[in-house]
Amino acid sequence: MPTALITGITGQDGSYLAELLLEKGYRVVGIVRRSSTTPYERIGHLVDRIELVSADLLDQTSLTDAVSEYMPDEIYNLAAQSFVQTSWTQPVLTGEFTALGVTRMLEAMKKTAPQARFYQASSSEMFGKVVESPQRESTPFYPRSPYGVAKVYGHWITVNYRESFALYAVSGILFNHESPRRGLEFVTRKVTDAVARIKLGTARELRLGNLESRRDWGFAGDYVDAMWRMLQQDEPTDYVIGTGHTCSVRDLCETAFSYVGLDYREYVVQDPRFFRPAEVDLLVADPAKARTELGWEPRVSFKSLVEMMVDADLARHTALGR
């Protein structure tokens, strides 16, 4: 039974990845930060099938101890300060978690489990002000937020450890991937949650920033399969993961509202507070390498993804009686 260690297991991607690995017969160990509460909403159905260990991306010793104790075959570093907007108000903390946290995990692996295979969660936000479209593995980075800058560091330190210490360490440059488990602060979930509340009569409007911003949106459950496939290859290399199709925030609103029989134009209000200091206007993937070498294809369409999320938020608010 192979052992997988996951940082960020309580997040959207971590929960889907844990499910996938359990199905494949892995022993799954999740790193969680010490807390007086137990925010395990996304993995509540898995807690009796996984093991949790207390450690922190800000603390080298705890990470080294965790890797030494479980000696994983695979390490998935998914933990980060992952909300772009917050990275402007907390840039130093974002750098500590999202950049230096990667180095600490690689150091823990190098010292105690150099035979393990390491996956780093890179991001399409590294492309930022894109210099070519679509974006592929060779596209230069031009990050437009502290989050994007921190992710570029995490990406290159992974490459550096792979080349310097002969570690099996790869980065998945994942484009936007969503699900009903997405945090409420992210635009896709903000939209579907608002649609549910408006449909149920408990809200009247939805305030958003740039409606023309375009993204390559896919389903998180599909994308964790790509993560796993990357660590099964003979040689370590990096991959762009996305659908190859782009939709605007306006398209997102139209799809979500029309699904419940509403016209988004009657409810969506543009609010300058939600515009980014430096905007990223267009991100769209060229996943040809992943298709060819990993045999990976996204299965859930943009429309099906949005409808899945609206259904989940409708069910949640209905169950809550609001």
Side-chain angles (χ1 to χ4, degrees):
M1 178 185 293
T3 297
L5 181 68
I6 304 172
T7 74
I9 195 168
T10 61
Q12 169 189 258
D13 292 7
S15 65
Y16 281 111
L17 178 61
E19 288 176 346
L20 176 73
L21 295 177
L22 287 170
E23 290 173 4
K24 293 182 179 296
Y26 280 68
R27 177 194 187 193
V28 175
V29 180
I31 286 182
V32 294
R33 301 180 69 196
R34 169 74 181 69
S35 174
S36 58
T37 59
T38 54
Y40 299 159
E41 177 185 357
R42 297 183 182 93
I43 59 169
H45 61 299
L46 301 176
V47 290
D48 60 342
R49 302 171 60 199
I50 62 178
E51 299 169 60
L52 300 176
V53 58
S54 180
D56 197 309
L57 284 184
L58 302 184
D59 181 64
Q60 182 68 66
T61 301
S62 68
L63 296 176
T64 302
D65 288 348
V67 175
S68 177
E69 178 180 355
Y70 291 97
M71 294 301 292
D73 300 283
E74 298 174 3
I75 299 172
Y76 296 86
N77 185 46
L78 310 185
Q81 191 300 100
S82 59
F83 187 43
V84 174
Q85 196 71 30
T86 296
S87 76
W88 273 290
T89 58
Q90 299 183 32
V92 175
L93 184 68
T94 299
E96 286 285 354
F97 275 115
T98 308
L100 292 179
V102 185
T103 311
R104 296 186 187 104
M105 280 304 305
L106 286 165
E107 271 294 296
M109 172 180 160
K110 177 170 73 76
K111 289 180 178 178
T112 61
Q115 80 295 336
R117 297 189 169 198
F118 181 90
Y119 171 85
Q120 164 59 15
S122 287
S123 168
S124 60
E125 287 288 332
M126 300 188 306
F127 295 122
K129 187 177 181 180
V130 298
V131 299
E132 66 175 357
S133 286
Q135 294 89 54
R136 52 187 63 87
E137 291 79 7
S138 59
T139 302
F141 300 137
Y142 195 147
R144 297 270 281 171
S145 67
Y147 170 78
V149 171
K151 279 293 186 181
V152 169
Y153 175 96
H155 179 87
W156 281 116
I157 200 67
T158 302
V159 172
N160 185 261
Y161 270 63
R162 177 171 73 216
E163 296 178 349
S164 300
F165 305 113
L167 299 179
Y168 193 111
V170 306
S171 287
I173 307 174
L174 271 57
F175 281 64
N176 293 64
H177 46 289
E178 319 295 323
S179 76
R181 301 178 192 174
R182 191 58 141 155
L184 287 167
E185 70 272 22
F186 291 87
V187 67
T188 48
R189 188 73 191 290
K190 185 176 180 180
V191 169
T192 62
D193 180 73
V195 166
R197 289 184 290 110
I198 290 170
K199 181 64 176 178
L200 295 172
T202 61
R204 296 183 178 180
E205 69 175 19
L206 168 61
R207 291 184 170 271
L208 296 172
N210 183 8
L211 297 181
E212 309 313 322
S213 179
R214 303 186 69 85
R215 293 291 185 271
D216 184 329
W217 275 303
F219 173 51
D222 289 344
Y223 286 42
V224 298
D225 175 61
M227 297 177 189
W228 176 78
R229 288 173 186 250
M230 289 181 211
L231 296 193
Q232 314 313 309
Q233 304 305 299
D234 291 335
E235 298 295 329
T237 187
D238 306 323
Y239 293 91
V240 161
I241 302 297
T243 69
H245 303 285
T246 182
C247 297
S248 67
V249 176
R250 189 180 300 278
D251 296 331
L252 168 65
C253 292
E254 183 173 12
T255 302
F257 277 90
S258 64
Y259 180 55
V260 296
L262 300 176
D263 185 342
Y264 80 96
R265 292 170 293 187
E266 297 179 14
Y267 304 97
V268 174
V269 178
Q270 278 197 294
D271 189 329
R273 292 179 301 163
F274 298 112
F275 280 80
R276 294 182 178 184
E279 188 57 72
V280 174
D281 296 312
L282 171 65
L283 293 174
V284 57
D286 177 2
K289 181 181 176 183
R291 287 198 184 103
T292 302
E293 297 184 10
L294 301 179
W296 178 84
E297 291 278 356
R299 295 169 295 176
V300 178
S301 69
F302 174 73
K303 183 174 183 289
S304 297
L305 170 64
V306 175
E307 292 176 356
M308 174 201 309
M309 294 174 68
V310 171
D311 283 338
D313 280 321
L314 280 169
R316 182 172 60 88
H317 283 292
T318 300
L320 293 170
R322 63 173 190 259

